[in-house]
Structures are given as structure tokens and as C-alpha cells.
Amino acid sequence: MLKAVLFDLDGTVLDTLPDLCACMNEALEQFGCRAITQEETRRFVGNGGLLFATRALPAERRGEAEYFYKNVYCPIHFRCKNERTKPFPGEEDCMAALQKAGIARAVVTNKSQTAADELGKTLLKPYGFSVIFGNREGIPVKPDPASAHMVLRQLGVEPQEAAFVGDGETDVLTAKNAGMAQVSVLWGYRGREELAAAGAKVFARDFAELKRILLSM
């Protein structure tokens, strides 16, 4: 029986794309670079903030990516009020059903811990996540399984008793690397073909279908 579900954040639990795009474009403007589109943002996110920043910069300025990320983008992102960020339809009902079934819920994201904690105080608060684990110094980002394993230890759950739910290739590989069951959601920032190419085999079209899948595990 399933004892815990670890959720990705961006594109899985919250639609953060509009805020991510707006924050990056403010940073790019300060850095004297062209803005990116929301579709470009969709392609660039999923592997942590530093890679997002690197991909957003013009090729000739990517050597400055670490400075840009730490000193320009992060301050803007950290003060973001997430006014454009929203949950997905049916999410509240799914989370309530998992809670009623006694299944622990946690978030494991490549978003910075600071930004994840801010969402934990606001938009994520109603869902009762036991742990919100973001990108932390010295801990490799997904698809390395380190963060997932740390969260499972906190929950007292073995990998084979848990599932990882996400919208990206990174999440598919995280589940595989961590020895967990895996569900790919189709409302996020990657398409079914991309997810299947990464090894995804179980898909949910919406939170109602995700609820049925998880409660049947």
C-alpha cells in the first residue's frame, strides 16, 4: 500500500510559469538582455534556477550565468509575491483524498528553498505537506535521488512504499533513481512524448485521474 507521495512543484502542484517568466524578464532587462517568451520559459525550467538562468541568457553571455543567477535573478525571484501563480483544477479534492487515506504528502523541487518556503506559507499551506524540500547548498538537484531519499527518511517511508509525481523528464528520472513508483502529469510543462521518451509509463490527465491512480497503488 502506498504510504507517501512526493510531488514536484512547478507545473505539477502550482502553475508558476507566469511568475517565473516575469521574474526572469525583469532580471534580463536589468542585465541588458532581451526578454524571453512564456513558451521559452516552459522549455527552460525544470532543472533548477541556475540552468534556467543559463538557458535564458544569450549564448554570448552564458559565461556570466552564475553571477546573473545569484546577484540579479535570485533577489528578484525571492521578493516575488507569486500573484500570477495558481493551483490546478481538482487539486484540493485530490490532496484531501490522500490525507483521508493516510498517505503522507511532500514537495521535492529544484526551486530554491527560499522560494519554496515562501510558497509554503501561502499557496501550498492548505494542502498539508509534511515537508517542502527545495534546492539547498551541497545537495544535488533532481534527478539525483538525494533529496527524495532525505524526505522519505523524514517521513519514515521506504522508497518502494512511495510514489513520485511530476510533470518533467527530471521527475521521471528522479523516481527511477530513487526506486519509487512514478506518475507523470500531463497538465504541466512537458508533453506526453517527451515524458515517454524519458521512461514514463503512467500518466494522469488531471487531478481527478491522479487521485484514482494513487489511491489504487
Side-chain angles (χ1 to χ4, degrees), residues 28-86:
L28 288 167
E29 182 179 5
Q30 287 187 20
F31 215 52
C33 299
R34 75 162 183 89
I36 59 174
T37 66
Q38 193 156 299
E39 185 53 41
E40 285 176 310
T41 304
R42 183 188 302 274
R43 297 199 310 269
F44 295 164
V45 298
N47 300 100
L50 178 57
L51 267 178
F52 176 32
T54 303
R55 291 164 177 164
L57 285 170
E60 66 272 13
R61 299 200 64 181
R62 287 178 181 164
E64 304 171 78
E66 189 167 353
Y67 175 88
F68 170 71
Y69 170 66
K70 289 181 178 178
N71 297 285
V72 184
Y73 175 72
C74 279
I76 292 169
H77 191 209
F78 291 166
R79 69 170 183 263
C80 176
K81 300 301 181 185
N82 300 300
E83 294 172 350
R84 304 171 185 85
T85 294
K86 295 179 180 179

Side-chain angles (χ1 to χ4, degrees), residues 7 15-16 31 39-40 46 56-57 60 67 69 84 89 142 151 165 174 179-180 195 206 212:
F7 289 88
D15 184 7
T16 57
F31 215 52
E39 185 53 41
E40 285 176 310
L57 285 170
E60 66 272 13
Y67 175 88
Y69 170 66
R84 304 171 185 85
K142 299 179 299 181
V151 170
V165 175
T174 300
M180 301 169 62
L195 296 166
D206 52 32
R212 291 194 294 272

Side-chain angles (χ1 to χ4, degrees), residues 86-212:
K86 295 179 180 179
F88 292 98
E91 186 167 344
E92 185 175 355
D93 179 64
C94 177
M95 296 297 180
L98 294 177
Q99 183 174 13
K100 185 177 180 180
I103 299 171
R105 286 96 49 227
V107 167
V108 179
T109 175
N110 282 344
K111 183 187 287 292
S112 72
Q113 188 67 57
T114 300
D117 284 341
E118 184 61 33
L119 287 166
K121 298 172 189 173
T122 54
L123 292 168
L124 295 177
K125 192 173 182 180
Y127 303 129
F129 290 111
S130 300
V131 183
I132 297 176
F133 197 104
N135 187 351
R136 304 178 183 184
E137 191 72 31
I139 300 172
V141 297
K142 299 179 299 181
D144 190 286
S147 55
H149 283 160
M150 290 175 72
V151 170
L152 290 177
R153 284 196 293 272
Q154 282 186 253
L155 298 175
V157 174
E158 296 298 322
Q160 62 270 22
E161 300 173 319
F164 201 103
V165 175
D167 72 310
E169 310 97 305
T170 301
D171 304 308
V172 177
L173 295 173
T174 300
K176 179 181 178 181
N177 294 340
M180 301 169 62
Q182 177 272 328
V183 183
S184 287
V185 303
L186 298 177
W187 58 78
Y189 305 152
R190 298 291 189 270
R192 188 184 185 110
E193 288 185 5
E194 293 170 280
L195 296 166
K201 293 181 173 60
V202 181
F203 302 90
R205 290 165 294 183
D206 52 32
F207 263 102
E209 186 170 24
L210 178 64
K211 179 179 72 172
R212 291 194 294 272

